[in-house]
Amino acid sequence: MTIADVDESAPSGFSVGLTNFEGPFDLLLQLISKHQLDITEVALSKVTSDFIAYIKELGDDLEQTTSFLLVASTLLDLKTARLLPQAEVEDEEDLALLEARDLLFARLMQYRAFKQVAGVIAARLAEEQKRFPRIVTLEPRFADLLPEVLISIGPAELAQLAAQAFEAKPVPILSLTHLHAPQVSVREQAHLVVDQLRRKGEMTFRALTADAPDLMTKVARFLAVLELFREGVIAFEQATPLGDLHVRWTGTDDGDIDVGDEFDEPMIAPDDMPVIEVDDDQAADEPIADETPEPRESSDD
């Protein structure tokens, strides 16, 4: 790139003041491009300082800043080339011969590299030609180790399996059974545990929950055992870690044993949320209708 290439993109309106030149920046570039002013006599640091002050007055114009950076880099390149020592060429024909020699040497180096790679590939191909695959069958002692392939299905069964693989998958349904599960009373389960322990004296917790219909009932009976232990009417022990829990009755054989209603307190719904009661006989998956009362129209009576 030369000064003439970037002359049109130079920032207009910017003036410089040097010891050997004072005037517009565009005129400075024209003088340098026409060799009327030596680039080595131009202080580029002074030009850069003047431009920074000029661009701050304009409010940091990005377009003019970019143009100046392009011109300044070109000037710096020209000045560096002029300041560095250059070898004088006495004969243009000698320079052409040197360039031809360098080009020939580069091509010879490429040819040598390709020749070496071709030699490596040829050596590997020759080595691989000495290897042959083993085409004999397995020996009997190894063949007997292979399992016998038994295909127990026919074309009809394969067609049925293919039909099952290509049929549409059922749409997953989110079950709401856990939302409508009936509550289990810890107090009622405690009475059942007391009745069984009074009759048998000692039982394992596994036996106490053998007739539990679901997981919630088992949890309620475990809480009942903890409440009865807190009341001091039972004792339990576990001989081995993760082994059976043996529960033993230590209370009286008569009288009513009652536990607290800490776990049987009903849930309190917010005032703005309608309370929906679900009977035990109601189907778990039956949709629940929205019983939110509609706003009544106000009357003027």
Side-chain angles (χ1 to χ4, degrees):
M1 181 179 294
T2 61
I3 295 296
D5 297 332
V6 297
D7 191 8
E8 297 180 355
S9 62
S12 59
F14 170 52
S15 301
V16 294
L18 304 175
T19 57
N20 55 352
F21 176 82
E22 185 174 355
F25 187 59
D26 298 342
L27 179 58
L28 175 64
L29 296 180
Q30 291 179 8
L31 294 177
I32 295 175
S33 61
K34 295 179 181 179
H35 302 285
Q36 297 179 2
L37 181 63
D38 192 358
I39 185 62
T40 59
E41 298 177 359
V42 178
L44 295 181
S45 60
K46 182 66 171 57
V47 176
T48 304
S49 301
D50 293 344
F51 180 78
I52 291 176
Y54 168 75
I55 204 65
K56 284 185 178 180
E57 294 178 358
L58 295 180
D60 297 334
D61 190 351
L62 181 60
E63 183 177 357
Q64 292 199 20
T65 303
T66 306
S67 301
F68 176 77
L69 290 176
L70 178 60
V71 175
S73 60
T74 306
L75 292 176
L76 184 61
D77 188 16
L78 293 176
K79 188 173 183 179
T80 304
R82 290 290 303 275
L83 292 177
L84 291 177
Q86 299 180 358
E88 296 182 359
V89 179
E90 298 179 356
D91 191 357
E92 295 293 339
E93 295 181 358
D94 294 341
L95 181 60
L97 291 176
L98 291 175
E99 293 179 352
R101 186 195 64 178
D102 294 341
L103 180 60
L104 179 61
F105 180 74
R107 291 180 178 177
L108 288 176
M109 294 296 295
Q110 292 181 355
Y111 172 74
R112 180 183 179 186
F114 279 103
K115 188 175 181 180
Q116 290 179 351
V117 173
V120 172
I121 297 177
R124 291 188 177 182
L125 290 176
E127 183 179 358
E128 292 295 331
Q129 289 179 357
K130 300 177 181 178
R131 299 182 181 182
F132 301 94
R134 189 169 184 263
I135 59 177
V136 297
T137 58
L138 288 176
E139 298 179 5
R141 58 193 182 95
F142 296 120
D144 295 339
L145 298 177
L146 296 177
E148 184 180 359
V149 179
L150 298 177
I151 302 178
S152 58
I153 59 176
E157 289 80 8
L158 288 176
Q160 185 178 1
L161 292 176
Q164 293 178 0
F166 286 108
E167 67 181 1
K169 303 296 181 183
V171 179
I173 300 176
L174 180 62
S175 177
L176 302 179
T177 307
H178 60 285
L179 298 179
H180 311 299
Q183 295 184 357
V184 181
S185 174
V186 177
R187 180 177 297 179
E188 294 178 0
Q189 298 301 320
H191 289 301
L192 294 177
V193 171
V194 170
D195 182 60
Q196 293 187 30
L197 290 178
R198 278 179 173 175
R199 288 188 288 104
K200 299 184 179 180
E202 182 178 353
M203 296 179 63
T204 61
F205 184 75
R206 191 187 304 273
L208 283 174
T209 58
D211 58 342
D214 50 22
L215 181 61
M216 293 296 297
T217 305
K218 293 182 180 180
V219 174
R221 291 190 184 181
F222 178 74
L223 295 176
V225 169
L226 296 181
E227 289 293 321
L228 292 175
F229 177 77
R230 186 167 63 177
E231 296 292 335
V233 294
I234 65 172
F236 54 81
E237 61 180 357
Q238 192 175 24
T240 59
L242 302 179
D244 286 335
L245 183 67
H246 295 269
V247 184
R248 186 176 68 257
W249 177 256
T250 60
T252 59
D253 294 338
D254 53 0
D256 189 11
I257 305 298
D258 195 8
V259 297
D261 56 354
E262 176 182 359
F263 300 102
D264 294 342
E265 295 180 358
M267 296 179 61
I268 301 177
D271 296 337
D272 56 347
M273 181 181 296
V275 179
I276 302 174
E277 296 182 358
V278 181
D279 297 334
D280 296 340
D281 297 334
Q282 185 179 1
D285 294 333
E286 182 179 354
I288 301 176
D290 187 5
E291 299 181 0
T292 306
E294 299 181 357
R296 299 180 179 178
E297 298 181 357
S298 59
S299 59
D300 298 335
D301 297 340

